[in-house]
Amino acid sequence: MFNIILFGPPGSGKGTQSEKLISKYQLKHLSTGDLLRSEIAAKTPLGMEAKGFMDKGQLVPDEVVIGMISSALEANPAAKGFLFDGFPRTEAQSEALDKLLQLKKTEIGVMLALEVTEEELVKRLLNRGLTSGRSDDTNEEVIRARIAEYETKTAVVADYYKKFDKVVAVKGEGTVEEIFGNLCSEIGKRMS
Ligand code: AP5
Ligand code: MG
C-alpha cells in the first residue's frame, strides 16, 4: 500500500493533479473539500454546519473532517492506497491520520507539496469562480481568507512530515502535464 498526501495552498492544483495521479497509480482519492461539498449538496446536518465555515474561507473543525476521513478509510478496505487531497490541514489532523493509518498497518509514503505564488493562486481561483459555482471562489476577500488560513494553520503541517523526511516540494506553476511529470518522478523515487 502506498499513500500520498498532495499538499498546497488553495488553487495550487491539488484537485487537477489528483485526478491524473489516482488514474495512473490506482489510488483512492480522498478530498475533504469534495466530501464536504457532497454533504452540503445533500443538505445533511454535517454539511449545514460546515457550510458556514467554508463560505467564510475558514477551516471546518478538526473533529468533523477527521470523522469523515475515518469513515472513508473504513469504507474502502480493499484500496491499494489513498491519495489525500486537502487533508490533513492542521497538526491535530496529521496526528489523527497517522493513528488511523497505523490501525491499518500502513503509513504516508510521501507528501508532495505544490508551490505557487499568491498572485497566481488568486488569479486561478477568481477565474474558476466565473464558472465553478463554488461559493468560496466568487470574491477575492474569501479567497484571501482561505490563503491566510493556509498560512497560519496549514503550512505547519509540512513541518510535521519533514520530521519524518517525507516532504518533497514541487513547483506548481507551468503546464498541468509538466507538473504531473515532476510529481510522478518524485513518486517513482519513493515507491522503489
Ligand atoms: P478544498 O476543496 O480543499 O479547497 P482548497 O484547498 O481551497 O483548494 P481548491 O480545491 O480550491 O484548489 P486545488 O489546490 O484543488 O486546485 P485545483 O486543481 O482545483 O477546501 C474548501 C474548504 O473546505 C476549505 O476552505 C475549508 O473550509 C474546508 N475544508 C476542506 N478540507 C478541510 C480540512 N482538512 N480541514 C478543515 N477544513 C477543510 O485548481 C484551481 C484552479 O486552477 C482550477 O481552475 C484549475 O483548472 C486551475 N489550474 C490547475 N492547475 C493549473 C496550472 N498548472 N496552470 C494554470 N491553472 C491551473
Ligand atoms: Mg481542490
Side-chain angles (χ1 to χ4, degrees):
M1 201 175 202
F2 194 78
N3 306 298
I4 298 172
I5 297 173
L6 190 54
F7 189 73
S12 55
K14 301 183 297 293
T16 305
Q17 296 295 336
S18 289
E19 292 304 326
K20 299 174 73 68
L21 292 169
I22 55 166
S23 136
K24 175 163 171 144
Y25 297 102
Q26 301 293 298
L27 302 170
K28 174 71 188 166
H29 185 197
L30 293 184
S31 156
T32 40
D34 290 349
L35 292 169
L36 289 166
R37 282 183 288 275
S38 308
E39 297 279 343
I40 292 173
K43 298 199 165 60
T44 64
L46 188 157
M48 293 303 97
E49 187 198 346
K51 189 175 188 319
F53 294 97
M54 292 168 77
D55 285 350
K56 288 188 250 163
Q58 295 170 357
L59 293 185
V60 170
D62 285 335
E63 317 80 76
V64 175
V65 284
I66 292 168
M68 279 192 332
I69 286 287
S70 171
S71 311
L73 290 175
E74 261 176 53
N76 290 282
K80 284 190 191 166
F82 294 94
L83 175 62
F84 298 95
D85 159 4
F87 180 90
R89 265 173 144 102
T90 61
E91 194 160 313
Q93 292 179 25
S94 314
E95 286 165 1
L97 178 61
D98 275 359
K99 288 197 188 113
L100 289 168
L101 292 177
Q102 261 168 33
L103 291 173
K104 294 178 79 75
K105 308 226 177 318
T106 183
E107 61 178 4
I108 292 299
V110 67
M111 169 188 267
L112 300 163
L114 291 169
E115 295 189 331
V116 177
T117 61
E118 179 161 346
E119 286 327 296
E120 171 70 12
L121 298 173
V122 173
K123 198 173 88 185
R124 285 184 189 179
L125 294 175
L126 281 171
N127 185 43
R128 185 179 62 188
L130 299 173
T131 53
S132 69
R134 265 181 65 167
S135 55
D136 58 350
D137 281 349
T138 44
N139 81 66
E140 186 165 339
E141 201 183 321
V142 175
I143 290 173
R144 298 258 180 212
R146 285 159 64 194
I147 295 172
E149 283 282 85
Y150 173 82
E151 279 162 5
T152 55
K153 296 180 186 160
T154 304
V156 293
V157 169
D159 299 331
Y160 175 86
Y161 289 98
K162 272 181 201 157
K163 286 188 285 193
F164 308 102
D165 193 25
K166 290 196 171 161
V167 184
V168 182
V170 175
K171 188 168 169 239
E173 293 185 45
T175 67
V176 169
E177 286 306 327
E178 273 164 11
I179 299 162
F180 180 61
N182 292 336
L183 293 171
C184 292
S185 97
E186 294 300 338
I187 293 170
K189 286 183 213 160
R190 297 272 171 153
M191 262 184 162
S192 55

